[in-house]
């Protein structure tokens, strides 16, 4: 029955072109021409036109005109349809929400909604007509209790910087944006334990801790917009994971609201607490599908005074690996970040971002590695680092490098690495993959992908080499089905063959909702579905994402 | 021709400055210190002049406590040939620095003395002018472009002044202080950092340079 409906839809769409322009539905293969008003956060869009079958508008940024793609790309295999069990919003619902949240907390303004409906990559766009902005946990609880009773689907949203379409509605789910819950509740200067609400922006927390002499255990390129609740819900990784570990270790407690409105207070501030099952781990990384995180208690490391950053060049990937091994051994406890990027990545950044220059302009190198050390004694760290670098140069592992001499140079080098996603967005369409693969095999995938795609696309690789995490990005002028089919499912099958993870840190979201079987066994997925059913029987929390819809509908 | 560059070790430009609890000054312990950005630009200019063949040697000098040696090492890593460290643990004002620089210039006899236009900790903008006065050398301050003519032994300096740009022609030897738009300093590459370890840093004492 499902298959017949699907084929019917396909036939309906392929023959009747004009109806697409007015119906406003999302389509299976991403050819969406929705004539709504776009609202970009930082760009102005004076004109729209249709170029090569894709809707393109021209945005003026700093006097340069960029053609901004909005071809909404659904995963080739996804055949998501709106679950008919979910109710639609009525005016009674809106008045109820207004009663709980006041006029401020209920957003129906089209411009603001357009923003909230679109993800950062501009690949996924929902059609939600309602966004709620609660300010306290009690309001979240009341909203969810009501939505559960009415069977209204909801999408928890924070900074909306996710890269797998997990933070935006798929259809008309109600957006619950926790951005207004941004208070820092307490900070213990002795233990470094920070308790704050889920809507605190990561960069604000970093500045706050800066004044206290502490740092956040995670750092990522999106820090200016991402919120801690979202970081925790997606188990964000970032640049410092190699030193401070994942959020499963740093988060000491959290407060979450379940689908039926129950507030689970697990906001412990204890370093050790072995009483019963540690349920917070279920919520860390569940991407909002088991509950909405409203408060977080996190252990923050003390800020150490001596930070050094080296930008190094390697001849081939094998040297990068040797360098990693040597760094772990020779730098030991002071190593705080180990990132790599290939020549294509550096070229993209230098081409599309302003104010950056090549740290090693004298010659062209194939691979670049950023090594950061953090310690408490400048002289000791510098000596260790210089000895390590000298030895690596002498043994030929690195061919050249620069050492940042002041904080300005340090930020420039980091900008090069952190700016790659932004530069890729400016370059056109991006197919983004985040894979955990055995370090020895990492670059093999990149080379195989290059061979497969040839000159059709620019394959760019960078990532957290220290954690075995590759960010494989394929940059092309626009999204095409031909390109998509060459990339997927090859990339997932390759990863699965080498027992890697198809999503190292980005999560599954919508983009990889039906791909979990590449990295997890059927029994584990069935148990996940059972837990989901237990905590959210009506499946209102972030539907269509994380777990395969087929498995969920079975249980 | 020898070029002498005076550099100063200051609190890093990007550090958030904190006042000491007893209000006696700013917090300088455990804070990242680096080369004054304008001094970096002066050193970069000296290196470019040397690379174009118009100078034979670049000498970096610094007056301050023992840790100044680190800043001089950075200067050597950028490409300076020698360094002189005048050891003085306290803080000195521009006039004293100018007197010390005068003595160093008389000892080393460079054809050009380059300085940053001002230090970012005190923003005095006086040292270059004072040392030029003491030496009775011509001065080109706030330089945004420097062109040397070896045969005529003159330097043509574009200065950034309030009204716009002023071009001066100075007879060498001269004092030039550098402004932001003169150049973009190079990074210290690893091979140069390693080479710098074997370069000489001579020690000097301020008392020996007294008037």
């Amino acid at each position: 029955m499902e298959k017949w409906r699907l084929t019917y839809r396909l036939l309906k769409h392929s023959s009747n072109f004009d109806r697409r322009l007015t119906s406003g539905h999302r389509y299976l293969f991403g050819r969406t021409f929705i004539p709504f008003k776009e609202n970009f956060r930082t760009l102005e869009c004076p004109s729209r036109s249709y170029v090569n079958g894709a809707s393109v508008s021209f945005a003026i940024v700093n006097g340069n005109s960029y053609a901004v793609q909005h071809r909404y790309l659904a995963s080739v295999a996804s055949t998501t349809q709106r679950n008919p069990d979910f109710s639609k919003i009525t005016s009674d619902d809106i008045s109820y929400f207004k009663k709980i949240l006041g006029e401020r907390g209920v957003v129906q303004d089209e411009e603001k909604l357009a923003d909230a409906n679109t993800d950062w990559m501009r690949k996924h766009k929902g059609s939600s007509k309602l966004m709620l902005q609660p300010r306290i946990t009690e309001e979240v609880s009341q909203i969810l209790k009501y939505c559960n009773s009415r069977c209204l689907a909801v999408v928890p949203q924070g900074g909306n910087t996710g890269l797998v379409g997990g933070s935006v509605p798929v259809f008309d789910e109600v957006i619950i944006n926790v951005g207004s819950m941004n208070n820092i509740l307490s900070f213990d200067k002795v233990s470094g334990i920070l308790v704050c609400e889920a809507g605190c922006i990561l960069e604000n927390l970093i500045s706050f801790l800066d004044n206290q002499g502490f740092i956040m255990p995670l750092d990522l390129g999106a820090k200016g917009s991402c919120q801690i609740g979202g970081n925790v819900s997606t188990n964000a990784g970032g640049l410092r994971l190699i030193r401070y570990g994942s959020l499963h270790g740093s988060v000491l407690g959290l407060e979450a609201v379940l689908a039926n409105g129950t507030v689970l207070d697990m906001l412990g501030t204890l370093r050790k607490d072995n009483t019963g099952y540690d349920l917070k781990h279920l919520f860390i990384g569940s991407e909002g599908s088991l509950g909405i995180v409203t408060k977080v208690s996190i252990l923050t490391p003390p800020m150490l005074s001596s930070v050094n950053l080296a930008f190094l060049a390697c001849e081939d990937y094998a040297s990068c690996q040797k360098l990693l091994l040597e760094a772990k051994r020779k730098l030991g406890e002071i190593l705080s970040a180990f990132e790599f990027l290939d020549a294509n990545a550096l070229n993209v950044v230098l081409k599309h971002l302003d104010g950056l220059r090549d740290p090693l302009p004298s010659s062209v190198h194939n691979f670049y590695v950023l090594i950061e050390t953090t310690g408490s004694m400048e002289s000791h760290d510098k000596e260790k680092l210089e000895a390590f670098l000298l030895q690596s140069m002498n043994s030929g592992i690195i061919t050249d490098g620069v050492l940042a001499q002041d904080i300005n140079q340090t930020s420039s080098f980091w900008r090069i690495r952190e700016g790659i996603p932004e530069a890729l967005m400016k370059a056109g369409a991006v197919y983004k993959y985040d894979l955990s693969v055995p370090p020895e095999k990492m670059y093999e995938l990149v080379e195989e992908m290059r061979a497969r795609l040839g000159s059709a696309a620019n394959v760019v690789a960078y990532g957290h080499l220290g954690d075995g995490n590759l960010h494989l990005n394929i940059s092309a002028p626009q999204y095409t089905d031909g390109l998509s089919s060459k990339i997927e499912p090859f990339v997932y099958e390759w990863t699965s063959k080498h027992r890697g993870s198809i999503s190292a840190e980005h999560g599954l979201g919508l983009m990889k909702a039906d791909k979990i079987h590449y990295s997890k066994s059927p029994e584990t997925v069935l148990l996940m579905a059972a837990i989901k059913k237990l905590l959210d029987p009506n499946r209102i929390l972030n539907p269509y994402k994380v777990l395969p819809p087929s498995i969920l509908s079975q249980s | 021709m020898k070029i002498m560059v005076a550099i100063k070790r200051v609190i890093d430009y990007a550090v958030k400055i904190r006042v000491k609890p007893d209000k006696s000054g700013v917090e300088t312990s455990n804070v990242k210190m680096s080369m004054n950005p304008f001094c970096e630009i002066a050193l970069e200019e000296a290196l470019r002049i040397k690379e174009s063949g118009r100078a034979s040697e670049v000498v970096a000098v610094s007056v301050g406590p023992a840790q100044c040696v680190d800043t001089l090492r950075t200067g050597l890593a950028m490409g300076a040939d020698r360094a002189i460290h005048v050891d003085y643990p306290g803080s000195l004002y521009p006039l004293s620095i100018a007197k010390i620089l005068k003595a160093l210039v008389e000892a080393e006899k460079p054809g050009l003395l380059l300085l940053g236009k001002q230090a970012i900790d005190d923003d005095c903008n006086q040292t270059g002018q004072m040392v030029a006065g003491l030496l009775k050398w011509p001065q080109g301050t706030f330089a945004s472009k420097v062109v040397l003519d070896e045969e005529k032994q003159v330097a043509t300096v574009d200065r950034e002044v309030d009204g716009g740009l002023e071009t001066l022609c100075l007879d060498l030897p001269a004092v030039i202080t550098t402004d932001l738009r003169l150049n973009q300093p190079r990074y210290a590459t690893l091979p140069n950092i390693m080479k710098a370890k074997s370069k000489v840093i001579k020690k000097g004492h301020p008392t020996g340079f007294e008037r």
Side-chain angles (χ1 to χ4, degrees):
Chain A
M1 191 60 178
E2 285 279 64
K3 266 197 197 154
W4 178 85
R5 247 191 256 154
L6 169 64
T7 328
Y8 174 67
R9 265 185 82 143
L10 271 170
L11 287 174
K12 212 165 67 151
H13 295 160
S14 63
S15 55
N16 202 335
F17 187 89
D18 287 312
R19 273 203 3 198
R20 291 200 237 183
L21 285 165
T22 52
S23 63
H25 284 294
R26 277 187 73 249
Y27 293 97
L28 304 166
F29 298 106
R31 246 179 279 268
T32 311
F33 303 115
I34 302 179
F36 48 77
K37 195 166 62 148
E38 283 286 81
N39 183 30
F40 290 91
R41 261 161 274 166
T42 53
L43 315 174
E44 312 152 35
C45 8
S47 66
R48 274 181 89 90
S49 63
Y50 294 105
V51 175
N52 290 341
S55 152
V56 170
S57 86
F58 291 92
I60 313 280
V61 180
N62 291 337
N64 297 320
S65 175
Y66 294 107
V68 181
Q69 277 288 339
H70 353 238
R71 186 156 171 153
Y72 295 110
L73 178 76
S75 168
V76 172
S78 101
T79 54
T80 327
Q81 295 178 59
R82 189 182 181 281
N83 187 337
D85 295 336
F86 293 141
S87 318
K88 289 212 199 278
I89 301 175
T90 64
S91 51
D92 286 337
D93 299 327
I94 307 223
S95 23
Y96 182 79
F97 290 135
K98 282 195 176 154
K99 203 158 54 124
I100 303 179
L101 302 172
E103 286 288 334
R104 240 171 92 319
V106 177
V107 176
Q108 291 177 281
D109 175 50
E110 277 199 25
E111 280 193 34
K112 290 197 191 135
L113 276 174
D115 233 356
N117 266 312
T118 316
D119 77 327
W120 188 83
M121 296 278 296
R122 285 187 222 111
K123 266 183 166 180
H124 304 273
K125 186 161 178 100
S127 41
S128 170
K129 296 279 185 300
L130 180 65
M131 177 159 73
L132 303 175
Q133 294 180 316
R135 266 162 305 154
I136 49 172
T137 309
E138 183 54 38
E139 285 173 4
V140 179
S141 166
Q142 287 181 313
I143 296 171
L144 280 180
K145 189 164 170 195
Y146 181 77
C147 289
N148 195 31
S149 66
R150 278 272 294 130
C151 222
L152 286 168
V154 303
V155 172
Q157 188 180 82
N160 197 6
T161 56
L163 301 169
V164 288
S167 52
V168 291
V170 181
F171 298 105
D172 59 346
E173 298 92 275
V174 177
I175 303 172
I176 299 183
N177 191 307
V178 295
S180 308
M181 300 170 63
N182 56 5
N183 296 312
I184 293 176
L185 299 170
S186 73
F187 180 67
D188 181 342
K189 289 201 187 117
V190 175
S191 57
I193 297 177
L194 172 72
V195 182
C196 61
E197 289 182 326
C200 295
I201 295 180
L202 186 60
E203 189 150 55
N204 292 347
L205 292 176
I206 293 175
S207 311
F208 168 76
L209 289 174
D210 202 63
N211 287 332
Q212 313 287 336
F214 287 81
I215 59 168
M216 283 299 276
L218 80 161
D219 191 9
L220 37 150
K223 58 188 154 217
S225 310
C226 66
Q227 296 167 10
I228 190 70
N231 289 142
V232 167
S233 299
T234 54
N235 190 21
L239 307 160
R240 302 261 156 66
L241 195 129
I242 190 174
R243 170 77 169 249
Y244 300 115
S246 89
L247 282 176
H248 281 289
S250 329
V251 170
L252 298 179
L254 52 90
E255 183 193 70
V257 183
L258 296 179
N260 61 8
T262 312
V263 176
L264 272 185
D265 180 3
M266 302 175 287
L267 199 61
T269 51
L270 304 168
R271 192 77 181 79
K272 298 162 102 172
D273 181 9
N274 276 353
T275 50
Y277 306 144
D278 202 351
L279 293 178
K280 66 174 187 281
H281 292 291
L282 269 182
F283 295 91
I284 301 174
S286 64
E287 303 181 49
S289 59
L290 295 178
I292 299 186
V293 171
T294 47
K295 293 196 181 88
V296 175
S297 145
I298 189 163
L299 180 66
T300 63
M303 177 166 14
L304 299 174
S305 52
S306 155
V307 177
N308 288 306
L309 187 64
F311 193 95
L312 309 164
C314 291
E315 191 57 47
D316 53 23
Y317 183 70
S319 317
C320 294
Q321 280 185 79
K322 276 192 216 136
L323 190 62
L324 173 63
L325 211 53
E326 285 299 307
K328 281 190 173 162
R329 219 165 266 147
K330 296 274 158 42
L331 296 175
E333 72 283 3
I334 62 171
L335 182 65
S336 60
F338 195 102
E339 300 286 314
F340 97 104
L341 47 140
D342 67 5
N344 286 358
L346 184 65
N347 290 337
V348 165
V349 169
L350 293 176
K351 189 165 160 203
H352 294 277
L353 291 184
D354 298 319
L356 290 177
R357 52 178 167 137
D358 186 354
L360 296 163
S362 48
S363 48
V364 177
H365 303 275
N366 296 327
F367 293 91
Y368 300 93
V369 171
L370 258 136
I371 295 184
E372 189 196 56
T373 66
T374 309
S376 48
M377 207 156 105
E378 177 86 37
S379 45
H380 162 259
D381 288 359
K382 234 187 165 106
E383 210 182 292
K384 225 163 152 166
L385 183 59
E386 284 183 2
F388 162 70
L389 292 174
L390 176 63
Q391 195 196 21
S392 305
M393 268 213 91
N394 288 339
S395 55
I397 302 179
I398 52 181
T399 53
D400 203 355
V402 286
L403 200 53
Q405 297 298 321
D406 52 42
I407 301 184
N408 239 356
Q409 293 184 2
T410 306
S411 331
S412 313
F413 295 167
W414 270 126
R415 181 91 184 97
I416 292 177
R417 162 62 183 87
E418 289 184 316
I420 300 176
E422 196 187 322
L424 283 167
M425 285 289 286
K426 291 200 175 138
V430 186
Y431 293 91
K432 202 179 269 288
Y433 298 97
D434 162 47
L435 314 160
S436 257
V437 282
E440 325 79 73
K441 298 256 176 280
M442 219 189 262
Y443 216 67
E444 266 179 45
L445 174 58
V446 183
E447 284 165 351
E448 271 185 56
M449 191 57 85
R450 281 201 181 120
R452 269 177 89 87
L453 300 178
S455 54
N458 182 14
V459 179
V460 165
Y462 60 98
H464 315 287
L465 188 52
D467 315 323
N469 184 189
L470 171 72
H471 287 310
L472 178 69
N473 282 252
I474 294 141
S475 171
Q478 56 204 52
Y479 296 112
T480 61
D481 296 329
L483 206 49
S484 309
S485 54
K486 276 207 192 125
I487 301 172
E488 291 185 32
F490 167 72
V491 79
Y492 297 132
E493 284 170 357
W494 194 99
T495 310
S496 186
K497 195 168 60 168
H498 292 90
R499 294 192 61 91
S501 164
I502 51 140
S503 185
E505 53 180 11
H506 291 171
L508 296 169
L510 178 68
M511 181 184 164
K512 302 178 205 172
D514 48 2
K515 307 274 189 294
I516 193 173
H517 62 276
Y518 283 109
S519 298
K520 287 279 187 315
S521 73
E523 298 80 26
T524 42
V525 180
L526 280 172
L527 186 53
M528 289 185 207
I531 295 173
K532 166 79 173 167
K533 182 156 187 222
L534 179 66
L535 292 178
D536 181 17
N538 290 333
R539 289 188 264 138
I540 60 164
L541 288 172
N542 227 359
Y544 319 111
K545 299 172 190 154
V546 186
L547 296 177
S550 47
I551 305 267
L552 287 176
S553 53
Q554 274 172 34
S555 57
Chain B
M1 179 179 72
K2 214 189 293 186
I3 303 183
M4 184 179 281
V5 183
I7 61 184
K8 187 176 181 185
R9 177 175 179 265
V10 296
I11 298 181
D12 190 301
Y13 148 80
V15 163
K16 212 181 291 189
I17 306 291
R18 268 181 259 278
V19 176
K20 275 197 246 185
D22 59 4
K23 308 276 202 283
S24 62
V26 264
E27 195 70 68
T28 50
S29 60
N30 234 18
V31 161
K32 174 106 178 105
M33 310 282 282
S34 15
M35 196 189 295
N36 183 35
F38 295 109
C39 302
E40 254 182 353
I41 294 172
L43 183 55
E44 172 65 23
E45 195 59 27
L47 293 170
R48 288 190 189 186
I49 295 174
K50 183 178 114 172
E51 279 161 6
S52 70
R54 294 197 193 90
S56 56
E57 200 186 17
V58 173
V59 183
V61 309
S62 189
V63 183
Q67 298 95 320
C68 278
V69 171
D70 296 329
T71 318
L72 285 170
R73 283 264 169 243
T74 303
L76 291 171
M78 281 171 72
D81 302 292
R82 273 191 297 129
I84 301 175
H85 172 220
V86 179
D87 200 343
Y88 185 78
S91 62
L92 287 171
Y93 285 102
L95 187 54
S96 319
I97 304 281
K99 289 180 185 170
I100 295 174
L101 285 176
K102 171 170 177 265
L104 282 169
V105 162
E106 281 164 358
E108 293 281 333
K109 299 198 205 338
L112 190 60
L113 176 63
L114 286 170
L115 304 96
K117 70 170 179 178
Q118 66 201 56
I120 59 170
D121 53 2
D122 54 26
D123 278 339
C124 281
N125 185 6
Q126 296 165 6
T127 313
Q129 292 87 331
M130 283 176 173
V131 79
L134 289 170
L135 288 170
K136 301 219 193 332
W137 280 12
Q139 55 179 268
T141 51
F142 319 120
S144 65
K145 191 161 135 199
V146 173
V147 178
L148 282 185
D149 191 333
E150 272 200 291
E151 305 153 24
K152 296 192 213 149
Q153 283 288 293
V154 292
T156 311
V157 174
D158 279 4
R159 304 178 62 219
E160 286 191 8
V161 293
D162 290 341
L165 285 176
E166 181 187 52
T167 310
L168 292 182
C169 197
L170 315 169
D171 286 328
L172 296 179
V175 173
I176 296 180
T177 70
T178 60
D179 207 329
L180 201 60
R181 273 160 282 273
L182 179 58
N183 59 43
Q184 212 175 25
R186 63 192 62 185
Y187 295 123
T189 61
L190 285 181
N192 286 341
I193 294 176
M194 300 311 159
K195 273 189 232 159
K197 290 197 191 294
S198 52
K199 290 185 186 167
V200 170
I201 300 185
K202 204 167 78 173
K203 276 278 193 279
H205 284 284
T207 47
F209 298 127
E210 268 315 298
R211 270 287 235 116

